[in-house]
Amino acid sequence: MTLPAEQTGDGATTSAVPPSQGGPPARRRPGGRTSRIRTQVLGAVRAELGERGYDELTLDGVAARAGVHRATVYRRWRNVGGLLADVFEATGDDDWQPQDTGSLRGDLAALNHESQAALTARPSIAAALIAASFRSEEAARGVRRLWEDRYARCEVIVDRAVRRGELPPHTDARRLLVAATAPLYHQLVLLRTPPDPDLPDQTARTAVLAASAGAFVKSPPDGQVV
Amino acid sequence: MTLPAEQTGDGATTSAVPPSQGGPPARRRPGGRTSRIRTQVLGAVRAELGERGYDELTLDGVAARAGVHRATVYRRWRNVGGLLADVFEATGDDDWQPQDTGSLRGDLAALNHESQAALTARPSIAAALIAASFRSEEAARGVRRLWEDRYARCEVIVDRAVRRGELPPHTDARRLLVAATAPLYHQLVLLRTPPDPDLPDQTARTAVLAASAGAFVKSPPDGQVV
């Protein structure tokens, strides 16, 4: 879920979408010129996506914006799918961690504030990457891995709350995290409602109340609906 | 949210996405041949979207599938945007109402089961319409209006629960409904996780627990985060 802010080369805010946890081995990242070109090119991809959208994304446009020779871009990334896959790879390849505010509710609210900021930035790279995931298989795979990684990193929020005695030990961290974050994405991305400044806190509070009432305890004693 | 099942001409399950409540006046719907052609054409649009996706949607393809002369389709719907707008208009123009199971938890679970069925149908017209909303302004407007209408229709679930004494009178119906339904859409549409048969009931149960703990009472006494 959380798509934390990250600066692109153009100063636009983007959202982080990391690679799989425990997935394929990390690529070697040579430093120097190759690394600098990658940074320039991926920054240009994010900026083009955020400002112009997926339909306008071309290797030539990216090369021009990055100030990199187009032959280099074609050789290394081949096509738009290759560029997108590498944007997701790079976005997830960071040291992002959720904030530690000292309480479950504070941690979840901070997470939601971060996501809301990323989704409502103009342009929003986070929103552009999500939109791209409905148009490209590479982007869909990238988004899926990034969400997976981000939720895995956020499980520490639940671990800390269990250690503090705020939550029972057998709390399903993933379900709690999804409940705490889904309404924000639902409103902003699917329902396309204007951002509500109270929503990040409200949603965090709701999840904490549900958790305190035992909503996320594994193997709930009552599986019936009515 | 809820995108209830609807039969297309092809027998595929689709999702309902109704027009605005209190929006523009309803169009006149002539019966007979004109109405029949519209039904055939919109059924073909849904089927094409579900099976082939937005990129493959063409007026010629729709006309051929519907068995309607292409000149008719061009004259009446003009372009793909016109077809999509009318699909949303027609989808929302139904008498769908949420089930009345006798309990808040049962009603919310039924809603989620209906949405999960629509989103996991193969092909899923609901998923195709959501995906189209990231590619077309007409579809984005149509989806927005349809969600709005569906959530408005679902407020009766909360009204009934208040009347039964299951919820306090000043419950924010919309926030409760979003909390009860968002995780399902989040998982299936954004995170693209495989459907979990327990999720519809779990999410309903979580929302009821949060509601019982006062999460959706309007003007909460405590607006602080930590």
Side-chain angles (χ1 to χ4, degrees):
Chain A
M1 98 283 11
T2 179
L3 305 172
E6 174 191 344
Q7 288 306 110
T8 67
D10 291 45
T13 309
T14 186
S15 91
V17 177
S20 69
Q21 22 72 281
R27 290 190 198 157
R28 291 192 339 112
R29 282 173 208 83
R33 185 168 170 276
T34 308
S35 168
R36 198 173 59 245
I37 286 175
R38 184 181 183 225
T39 302
Q40 286 168 239
V41 167
L42 299 189
V45 174
R46 292 190 190 97
E48 291 274 301
L49 267 182
E51 288 171 26
R52 300 154 61 89
Y54 177 84
D55 285 333
E56 308 285 323
L57 194 65
T58 65
L59 269 68
D60 287 350
V62 166
R65 181 162 201 147
V68 169
H69 199 287
R70 57 194 290 277
T72 306
V73 177
Y74 276 86
R75 193 172 56 241
R76 183 150 168 197
W77 287 276
R78 294 181 174 274
N79 53 37
V80 165
L83 283 172
L84 280 173
D86 205 25
V87 161
F88 281 101
E89 169 96 16
T91 307
D93 182 25
D94 63 4
D95 56 0
W96 182 86
Q97 293 295 335
Q99 287 184 48
D100 184 355
T101 67
S103 78
L104 175 61
R105 182 164 162 190
D107 287 1
L108 297 174
L111 198 57
N112 279 337
H113 279 290
E114 208 173 336
S115 297
Q116 176 138 306
L119 288 169
T120 56
R122 290 290 173 270
S124 168
I125 316 295
L129 291 177
I130 291 173
S133 75
F134 289 94
R135 320 174 84 123
S136 140
E137 252 317 304
E138 285 90 350
R141 272 195 299 273
V143 161
R144 203 160 48 227
R145 282 211 300 259
L146 186 48
W147 285 111
E148 180 56 37
D149 175 83
R150 287 308 198 223
Y151 274 113
R153 293 195 204 189
C154 286
E155 291 186 2
V156 68
I157 292 175
V158 176
D159 294 344
R160 289 194 296 246
V162 169
R163 279 203 301 276
R164 280 189 301 258
E166 286 188 87
L167 290 174
H170 298 292
T171 297
D172 187 324
R174 187 62 58 97
R175 277 182 48 219
L176 190 159
L177 291 166
V178 167
T181 54
L184 193 121
Y185 283 89
H186 196 62
Q187 298 266 25
L188 293 176
V189 178
L190 295 182
L191 274 52
R192 296 175 172 80
T193 47
D196 171 356
D198 295 333
L199 191 61
D201 293 341
Q202 278 179 349
T203 309
R205 177 176 173 268
T206 298
V208 172
L209 286 172
S212 304
F216 308 110
V217 176
K218 283 176 190 163
S219 313
D222 170 12
Q224 291 163 334
V225 177
V226 179
Chain B
M1 98 281 13
T2 178
L3 304 173
E6 174 191 343
Q7 288 306 109
T8 67
D10 291 45
T13 309
T14 183
S15 89
V17 176
S20 68
Q21 23 71 282
R27 289 189 200 160
R28 292 192 338 109
R29 281 173 207 84
R33 185 169 171 275
T34 309
S35 168
R36 196 172 63 244
I37 287 176
R38 184 180 183 225
T39 302
Q40 286 168 239
V41 167
L42 299 188
V45 173
R46 293 190 189 95
E48 290 274 300
L49 267 181
E51 288 171 25
R52 300 155 60 89
Y54 177 85
D55 284 334
E56 308 286 322
L57 193 65
T58 64
L59 269 68
D60 287 351
V62 166
R65 181 161 202 148
V68 168
H69 199 288
R70 58 192 290 277
T72 306
V73 176
Y74 277 86
R75 193 171 56 241
R76 182 152 169 197
W77 286 277
R78 293 181 173 276
N79 51 39
V80 165
L83 284 173
L84 280 173
D86 205 27
V87 162
F88 282 99
E89 170 96 16
T91 308
D93 184 23
D94 63 4
D95 57 0
W96 181 87
Q97 293 296 334
Q99 286 184 51
D100 184 356
T101 67
S103 77
L104 176 60
R105 182 163 160 188
D107 286 2
L108 296 174
L111 198 57
N112 279 336
H113 279 290
E114 209 173 335
S115 297
Q116 177 139 305
L119 288 169
T120 56
R122 290 286 171 269
S124 167
I125 316 293
L129 291 177
I130 291 174
S133 75
F134 289 95
R135 319 173 86 124
S136 140
E137 253 317 304
E138 284 91 350
R141 271 195 299 274
V143 161
R144 203 159 49 226
R145 283 211 298 260
L146 186 47
W147 285 110
E148 180 57 36
D149 175 83
R150 287 309 196 222
Y151 275 114
R153 293 195 204 188
C154 287
E155 291 186 1
V156 69
I157 291 175
V158 176
D159 294 343
R160 288 194 297 246
V162 169
R163 279 203 300 277
R164 281 189 301 257
E166 286 189 88
L167 289 174
H170 298 292
T171 297
D172 187 325
R174 187 63 57 98
R175 279 181 46 219
L176 190 159
L177 291 166
V178 167
T181 54
L184 193 121
Y185 283 88
H186 196 62
Q187 299 265 27
L188 293 175
V189 178
L190 295 182
L191 274 53
R192 297 175 172 78
T193 46
D196 171 357
D198 294 333
L199 191 61
D201 293 341
Q202 278 179 349
T203 308
R205 178 176 173 269
T206 298
V208 172
L209 286 172
S212 303
F216 308 111
V217 176
K218 284 177 189 164
S219 311
D222 172 11
Q224 290 162 334
V225 177
V226 181

